[in-house]
PDB file of all heavy atoms in Angstrom:
ATOM      1  N   LYS R 865    -124.805-140.519 -58.123  1.00 97.00           N
ATOM      2  CA  LYS R 865    -126.013-140.392 -57.312  1.00 97.00           C
ATOM      3  C   LYS R 865    -126.167-138.931 -56.890  1.00 97.00           C
ATOM      4  O   LYS R 865    -125.215-138.332 -56.380  1.00 97.00           O
ATOM      5  CB  LYS R 865    -125.875-141.285 -56.092  1.00 97.00           C
ATOM      6  CG  LYS R 865    -127.123-141.418 -55.260  1.00 97.00           C
ATOM      7  CD  LYS R 865    -126.885-142.494 -54.204  1.00 97.00           C
ATOM      8  CE  LYS R 865    -128.107-142.787 -53.398  1.00 97.00           C
ATOM      9  NZ  LYS R 865    -127.904-143.927 -52.496  1.00 97.00           N
ATOM     10  N   ASN R 871    -128.163-126.654 -45.968  1.00 98.00           N
ATOM     11  CA  ASN R 871    -127.212-125.863 -45.185  1.00 98.00           C
ATOM     12  C   ASN R 871    -128.024-124.861 -44.363  1.00 98.00           C
ATOM     13  O   ASN R 871    -128.473-123.849 -44.902  1.00 98.00           O
ATOM     14  CB  ASN R 871    -126.226-125.160 -46.118  1.00 98.00           C
ATOM     15  CG  ASN R 871    -125.257-124.247 -45.345  1.00 98.00           C
ATOM     16  OD1 ASN R 871    -125.236-124.280 -44.114  1.00 98.00           O
ATOM     17  ND2 ASN R 871    -124.503-123.451 -46.073  1.00 98.00           N
ATOM     18  N   ARG R 891    -142.820-136.709 -44.575  1.00 96.00           N
ATOM     19  CA  ARG R 891    -142.914-136.577 -46.034  1.00 96.00           C
ATOM     20  C   ARG R 891    -142.159-137.672 -46.738  1.00 96.00           C
ATOM     21  O   ARG R 891    -141.820-137.547 -47.919  1.00 96.00           O
ATOM     22  CB  ARG R 891    -142.409-135.190 -46.447  1.00 96.00           C
ATOM     23  CG  ARG R 891    -143.354-134.114 -45.990  1.00 96.00           C
ATOM     24  CD  ARG R 891    -142.844-132.712 -46.236  1.00 96.00           C
ATOM     25  NE  ARG R 891    -143.714-131.786 -45.562  1.00 96.00           N
ATOM     26  CZ  ARG R 891    -144.873-131.345 -46.039  1.00 96.00           C
ATOM     27  NH1 ARG R 891    -145.264-131.708 -47.234  1.00 96.00           N
ATOM     28  NH2 ARG R 891    -145.627-130.559 -45.318  1.00 96.00           N
ATOM     29  N   ASP R 892    -141.811-138.726 -46.024  1.00 95.00           N
ATOM     30  CA  ASP R 892    -141.193-139.931 -46.568  1.00 95.00           C
ATOM     31  C   ASP R 892    -139.804-139.728 -47.143  1.00 95.00           C
ATOM     32  O   ASP R 892    -139.323-140.546 -47.962  1.00 95.00           O
ATOM     33  CB  ASP R 892    -142.089-140.556 -47.670  1.00 95.00           C
ATOM     34  CG  ASP R 892    -143.422-141.008 -47.091  1.00 95.00           C
ATOM     35  OD1 ASP R 892    -143.434-141.385 -45.897  1.00 95.00           O
ATOM     36  OD2 ASP R 892    -144.422-140.978 -47.829  1.00 95.00           O
ATOM     37  N   VAL R 904    -127.275-130.269 -42.743  1.00 99.00           N
ATOM     38  CA  VAL R 904    -126.057-129.614 -42.215  1.00 99.00           C
ATOM     39  C   VAL R 904    -126.473-128.539 -41.208  1.00 99.00           C
ATOM     40  O   VAL R 904    -126.643-127.347 -41.559  1.00 99.00           O
ATOM     41  CB  VAL R 904    -125.224-128.992 -43.364  1.00 99.00           C
ATOM     42  CG1 VAL R 904    -123.884-128.515 -42.856  1.00 99.00           C
ATOM     43  CG2 VAL R 904    -125.020-129.995 -44.512  1.00 99.00           C
ATOM     44  N   ILE R 910    -126.424-130.589 -34.100  1.00 98.00           N
ATOM     45  CA  ILE R 910    -126.046-131.821 -34.798  1.00 98.00           C
ATOM     46  C   ILE R 910    -126.580-133.061 -34.064  1.00 98.00           C
ATOM     47  O   ILE R 910    -127.205-133.952 -34.650  1.00 98.00           O
ATOM     48  CB  ILE R 910    -124.501-131.907 -34.973  1.00 98.00           C
ATOM     49  CG1 ILE R 910    -124.049-130.884 -36.022  1.00 98.00           C
ATOM     50  CG2 ILE R 910    -124.080-133.316 -35.396  1.00 98.00           C
ATOM     51  CD1 ILE R 910    -122.544-130.812 -36.208  1.00 98.00           C
ATOM     52  N   LEU R 917    -133.330-138.368 -36.364  1.00 98.00           N
ATOM     53  CA  LEU R 917    -133.337-139.204 -37.578  1.00 98.00           C
ATOM     54  C   LEU R 917    -133.523-140.677 -37.233  1.00 98.00           C
ATOM     55  O   LEU R 917    -134.070-141.439 -38.039  1.00 98.00           O
ATOM     56  CB  LEU R 917    -132.023-139.025 -38.347  1.00 98.00           C
ATOM     57  CG  LEU R 917    -131.904-137.725 -39.143  1.00 98.00           C
ATOM     58  CD1 LEU R 917    -130.485-137.568 -39.691  1.00 98.00           C
ATOM     59  CD2 LEU R 917    -132.925-137.689 -40.280  1.00 98.00           C
ATOM     60  N   ASN R 929    -118.369-126.417 -40.919  1.00 98.00           N
ATOM     61  CA  ASN R 929    -116.967-125.975 -40.906  1.00 98.00           C
ATOM     62  C   ASN R 929    -116.216-126.885 -39.947  1.00 98.00           C
ATOM     63  O   ASN R 929    -116.838-127.638 -39.183  1.00 98.00           O
ATOM     64  CB  ASN R 929    -116.908-124.526 -40.402  1.00 98.00           C
ATOM     65  CG  ASN R 929    -115.504-123.960 -40.429  1.00 98.00           C
ATOM     66  OD1 ASN R 929    -114.656-124.363 -41.234  1.00 98.00           O
ATOM     67  ND2 ASN R 929    -115.236-123.012 -39.556  1.00 98.00           N
ATOM     68  N   THR R 939    -109.330-122.290 -28.940  1.00 98.00           N
ATOM     69  CA  THR R 939    -110.626-121.918 -28.374  1.00 98.00           C
ATOM     70  C   THR R 939    -111.660-121.583 -29.459  1.00 98.00           C
ATOM     71  O   THR R 939    -111.363-120.807 -30.361  1.00 98.00           O
ATOM     72  CB  THR R 939    -110.450-120.702 -27.447  1.00 98.00           C
ATOM     73  OG1 THR R 939    -109.483-121.054 -26.446  1.00 98.00           O
ATOM     74  CG2 THR R 939    -111.758-120.298 -26.771  1.00 98.00           C
ATOM     75  N   GLY R 958    -115.018-124.047 -46.987  1.00 98.00           N
ATOM     76  CA  GLY R 958    -114.799-122.955 -47.921  1.00 98.00           C
ATOM     77  C   GLY R 958    -116.052-122.323 -48.443  1.00 98.00           C
ATOM     78  O   GLY R 958    -116.060-121.787 -49.564  1.00 98.00           O
ATOM     79  N   ARG R 963    -115.372-117.573 -46.630  1.00 98.00           N
ATOM     80  CA  ARG R 963    -114.278-116.899 -47.370  1.00 98.00           C
ATOM     81  C   ARG R 963    -114.362-115.401 -47.212  1.00 98.00           C
ATOM     82  O   ARG R 963    -113.372-114.749 -46.919  1.00 98.00           O
ATOM     83  CB  ARG R 963    -114.354-117.289 -48.857  1.00 98.00           C
ATOM     84  CG  ARG R 963    -114.010-118.763 -49.154  1.00 98.00           C
ATOM     85  CD  ARG R 963    -114.200-119.062 -50.644  1.00 98.00           C
ATOM     86  NE  ARG R 963    -113.986-120.455 -51.003  1.00 98.00           N
ATOM     87  CZ  ARG R 963    -112.827-120.947 -51.480  1.00 98.00           C
ATOM     88  NH1 ARG R 963    -111.791-120.163 -51.632  1.00 98.00           N
ATOM     89  NH2 ARG R 963    -112.733-122.220 -51.823  1.00 98.00           N
ATOM     90  N   ILE R 972    -106.204-122.298 -46.819  1.00 98.00           N
ATOM     91  CA  ILE R 972    -106.854-122.752 -45.575  1.00 98.00           C
ATOM     92  C   ILE R 972    -107.866-123.859 -45.890  1.00 98.00           C
ATOM     93  O   ILE R 972    -107.899-124.887 -45.218  1.00 98.00           O
ATOM     94  CB  ILE R 972    -107.575-121.540 -44.880  1.00 98.00           C
ATOM     95  CG1 ILE R 972    -106.507-120.588 -44.322  1.00 98.00           C
ATOM     96  CG2 ILE R 972    -108.550-122.018 -43.812  1.00 98.00           C
ATOM     97  CD1 ILE R 972    -107.103-119.318 -43.718  1.00 98.00           C
ATOM     98  N   PRO R1020    -106.497-139.273 -56.481  1.00 97.00           N
ATOM     99  CA  PRO R1020    -107.740-139.443 -57.235  1.00 97.00           C
ATOM    100  C   PRO R1020    -108.861-140.021 -56.375  1.00 97.00           C
ATOM    101  O   PRO R1020    -110.017-139.583 -56.461  1.00 97.00           O
ATOM    102  CB  PRO R1020    -107.342-140.404 -58.363  1.00 97.00           C
ATOM    103  CG  PRO R1020    -105.898-140.141 -58.548  1.00 97.00           C
ATOM    104  CD  PRO R1020    -105.335-139.830 -57.187  1.00 97.00           C
ATOM    105  N   LEU R1023    -110.232-137.297 -54.232  1.00 98.00           N
ATOM    106  CA  LEU R1023    -110.983-136.376 -55.084  1.00 98.00           C
ATOM    107  C   LEU R1023    -112.349-136.936 -55.403  1.00 98.00           C
ATOM    108  O   LEU R1023    -113.359-136.228 -55.360  1.00 98.00           O
ATOM    109  CB  LEU R1023    -110.223-136.128 -56.387  1.00 98.00           C
ATOM    110  CG  LEU R1023    -109.354-134.909 -56.499  1.00 98.00           C
ATOM    111  CD1 LEU R1023    -108.717-134.848 -57.888  1.00 98.00           C
ATOM    112  CD2 LEU R1023    -110.132-133.620 -56.251  1.00 98.00           C
ATOM    113  N   GLN R1024    -112.392-138.217 -55.713  1.00 98.00           N
ATOM    114  CA  GLN R1024    -113.679-138.846 -56.051  1.00 98.00           C
ATOM    115  C   GLN R1024    -114.642-138.824 -54.902  1.00 98.00           C
ATOM    116  O   GLN R1024    -115.850-138.828 -55.088  1.00 98.00           O
ATOM    117  CB  GLN R1024    -113.436-140.301 -56.520  1.00 98.00           C
ATOM    118  CG  GLN R1024    -112.793-140.344 -57.888  1.00 98.00           C
ATOM    119  CD  GLN R1024    -112.473-141.771 -58.348  1.00 98.00           C
ATOM    120  OE1 GLN R1024    -113.133-142.719 -57.940  1.00 98.00           O
ATOM    121  NE2 GLN R1024    -111.468-141.884 -59.199  1.00 98.00           N
ATOM    122  N   THR R1026    -114.783-136.374 -52.784  1.00 98.00           N
ATOM    123  CA  THR R1026    -115.055-134.981 -52.442  1.00 98.00           C
ATOM    124  C   THR R1026    -116.289-134.531 -53.261  1.00 98.00           C
ATOM    125  O   THR R1026    -116.422-134.901 -54.411  1.00 98.00           O
ATOM    126  CB  THR R1026    -113.841-134.117 -52.861  1.00 98.00           C
ATOM    127  OG1 THR R1026    -112.677-134.603 -52.173  1.00 98.00           O
ATOM    128  CG2 THR R1026    -114.071-132.635 -52.508  1.00 98.00           C
ATOM    129  N   VAL R1028    -118.025-131.228 -54.790  1.00 98.00           N
ATOM    130  CA  VAL R1028    -117.754-129.838 -55.077  1.00 98.00           C
ATOM    131  C   VAL R1028    -119.098-129.100 -55.130  1.00 98.00           C
ATOM    132  O   VAL R1028    -120.049-129.616 -55.728  1.00 98.00           O
ATOM    133  CB  VAL R1028    -116.998-129.663 -56.417  1.00 98.00           C
ATOM    134  CG1 VAL R1028    -116.854-128.178 -56.779  1.00 98.00           C
ATOM    135  CG2 VAL R1028    -115.624-130.335 -56.338  1.00 98.00           C
ATOM    136  N   ALA R1029    -119.194-127.958 -54.462  1.00 98.00           N
ATOM    137  CA  ALA R1029    -120.400-127.152 -54.575  1.00 98.00           C
ATOM    138  C   ALA R1029    -120.072-125.888 -55.335  1.00 98.00           C
ATOM    139  O   ALA R1029    -119.226-125.108 -54.900  1.00 98.00           O
ATOM    140  CB  ALA R1029    -120.965-126.831 -53.200  1.00 98.00           C
ATOM    141  N   TYR R1030    -120.726-125.705 -56.461  1.00 98.00           N
ATOM    142  CA  TYR R1030    -120.582-124.457 -57.216  1.00 98.00           C
ATOM    143  C   TYR R1030    -121.651-123.498 -56.736  1.00 98.00           C
ATOM    144  O   TYR R1030    -122.851-123.724 -56.949  1.00 98.00           O
ATOM    145  CB  TYR R1030    -120.709-124.690 -58.725  1.00 98.00           C
ATOM    146  CG  TYR R1030    -120.846-123.385 -59.485  1.00 98.00           C
ATOM    147  CD1 TYR R1030    -119.801-122.445 -59.455  1.00 98.00           C
ATOM    148  CD2 TYR R1030    -121.983-123.084 -60.239  1.00 98.00           C
ATOM    149  CE1 TYR R1030    -119.930-121.245 -60.134  1.00 98.00           C
ATOM    150  CE2 TYR R1030    -122.091-121.874 -60.909  1.00 98.00           C
ATOM    151  CZ  TYR R1030    -121.067-120.961 -60.860  1.00 98.00           C
ATOM    152  OH  TYR R1030    -121.175-119.764 -61.522  1.00 98.00           O
ATOM    153  N   ALA R1035    -125.593-115.317 -56.340  1.00 94.00           N
ATOM    154  CA  ALA R1035    -126.855-116.040 -56.294  1.00 94.00           C
ATOM    155  C   ALA R1035    -127.220-116.521 -54.889  1.00 94.00           C
ATOM    156  O   ALA R1035    -128.290-117.057 -54.656  1.00 94.00           O
ATOM    157  CB  ALA R1035    -126.806-117.244 -57.225  1.00 94.00           C
ATOM    158  N   THR R1038    -129.919-114.232 -52.557  1.00 90.00           N
ATOM    159  CA  THR R1038    -130.372-113.026 -53.260  1.00 90.00           C
ATOM    160  C   THR R1038    -131.677-113.251 -54.014  1.00 90.00           C
ATOM    161  O   THR R1038    -132.269-112.309 -54.514  1.00 90.00           O
ATOM    162  CB  THR R1038    -129.308-112.602 -54.319  1.00 90.00           C
ATOM    163  OG1 THR R1038    -129.111-113.730 -55.199  1.00 90.00           O
ATOM    164  CG2 THR R1038    -128.007-112.221 -53.664  1.00 90.00           C
ATOM    165  N   ALA R1062    -106.750-134.721 -62.303  1.00 97.00           N
ATOM    166  CA  ALA R1062    -106.532-136.139 -61.987  1.00 97.00           C
ATOM    167  C   ALA R1062    -106.612-136.962 -63.285  1.00 97.00           C
ATOM    168  O   ALA R1062    -105.630-137.069 -63.996  1.00 97.00           O
ATOM    169  CB  ALA R1062    -107.548-136.617 -60.966  1.00 97.00           C
ATOM    170  N   GLU R1068    -115.354-137.921 -63.965  1.00 97.00           N
ATOM    171  CA  GLU R1068    -116.727-138.470 -64.120  1.00 97.00           C
ATOM    172  C   GLU R1068    -117.361-138.807 -62.774  1.00 97.00           C
ATOM    173  O   GLU R1068    -118.567-138.798 -62.640  1.00 97.00           O
ATOM    174  CB  GLU R1068    -116.703-139.728 -65.002  1.00 97.00           C
ATOM    175  CG  GLU R1068    -116.523-139.439 -66.484  1.00 97.00           C
ATOM    176  CD  GLU R1068    -117.456-138.317 -66.988  1.00 97.00           C
ATOM    177  OE1 GLU R1068    -118.686-138.444 -66.745  1.00 97.00           O
ATOM    178  OE2 GLU R1068    -116.979-137.364 -67.574  1.00 97.00           O
ATOM    179  N   SER R1077    -129.891-119.741 -54.144  1.00 95.00           N
ATOM    180  CA  SER R1077    -131.315-119.523 -54.357  1.00 95.00           C
ATOM    181  C   SER R1077    -132.031-120.703 -55.009  1.00 95.00           C
ATOM    182  O   SER R1077    -132.908-120.512 -55.860  1.00 95.00           O
ATOM    183  CB  SER R1077    -131.538-118.218 -55.152  1.00 95.00           C
ATOM    184  OG  SER R1077    -131.016-117.110 -54.443  1.00 95.00           O
ATOM    185  N   LEU R1086    -132.700-127.160 -62.803  1.00 97.00           N
ATOM    186  CA  LEU R1086    -131.257-127.074 -62.524  1.00 97.00           C
ATOM    187  C   LEU R1086    -130.654-128.489 -62.466  1.00 97.00           C
ATOM    188  O   LEU R1086    -129.648-128.786 -63.104  1.00 97.00           O
ATOM    189  CB  LEU R1086    -131.005-126.337 -61.196  1.00 97.00           C
ATOM    190  CG  LEU R1086    -131.115-124.824 -61.234  1.00 97.00           C
ATOM    191  CD1 LEU R1086    -131.317-124.248 -59.847  1.00 97.00           C
ATOM    192  CD2 LEU R1086    -129.915-124.191 -61.915  1.00 97.00           C
ATOM    193  N   ASP R1103    -137.340-124.873 -44.380  1.00 98.00           N
ATOM    194  CA  ASP R1103    -138.734-125.281 -44.372  1.00 98.00           C
ATOM    195  C   ASP R1103    -138.806-126.736 -44.853  1.00 98.00           C
ATOM    196  O   ASP R1103    -138.415-127.023 -45.992  1.00 98.00           O
ATOM    197  CB  ASP R1103    -139.526-124.355 -45.308  1.00 98.00           C
ATOM    198  CG  ASP R1103    -140.950-124.861 -45.528  1.00 98.00           C
ATOM    199  OD1 ASP R1103    -141.463-125.593 -44.653  1.00 98.00           O
ATOM    200  OD2 ASP R1103    -141.516-124.533 -46.579  1.00 98.00           O
ATOM    201  N   ARG R1105    -141.078-128.605 -45.888  1.00 98.00           N
ATOM    202  CA  ARG R1105    -141.882-128.838 -47.060  1.00 98.00           C
ATOM    203  C   ARG R1105    -141.100-128.509 -48.325  1.00 98.00           C
ATOM    204  O   ARG R1105    -141.018-129.311 -49.274  1.00 98.00           O
ATOM    205  CB  ARG R1105    -143.161-127.989 -46.963  1.00 98.00           C
ATOM    206  CG  ARG R1105    -144.110-128.184 -48.093  1.00 98.00           C
ATOM    207  CD  ARG R1105    -145.528-127.775 -47.694  1.00 98.00           C
ATOM    208  NE  ARG R1105    -146.285-127.651 -48.934  1.00 98.00           N
ATOM    209  CZ  ARG R1105    -146.500-126.483 -49.523  1.00 98.00           C
ATOM    210  NH1 ARG R1105    -145.979-125.356 -49.038  1.00 98.00           N
ATOM    211  NH2 ARG R1105    -147.184-126.453 -50.656  1.00 98.00           N
ATOM    212  N   ALA R1113    -137.395-133.395 -56.333  1.00 97.00           N
ATOM    213  CA  ALA R1113    -137.097-132.883 -57.700  1.00 97.00           C
ATOM    214  C   ALA R1113    -135.816-133.526 -58.237  1.00 97.00           C
ATOM    215  O   ALA R1113    -135.653-133.641 -59.438  1.00 97.00           O
ATOM    216  CB  ALA R1113    -136.975-131.369 -57.658  1.00 97.00           C
TER     217      ALA R1113
END
Side-chain angles (χ1 to χ4, degrees):
K865 189 171 184 173
N871 176 10
R891 292 174 189 277
D892 298 329
V904 189
I910 289 176
L917 284 171
N929 183 28
T939 303
R963 291 176 184 264
I972 289 175
L1023 263 181
Q1024 288 177 27
T1026 302
V1028 174
Y1030 169 61
T1038 57
E1068 285 312 308
S1077 300
L1086 282 162
D1103 170 25
R1105 182 158 165 263

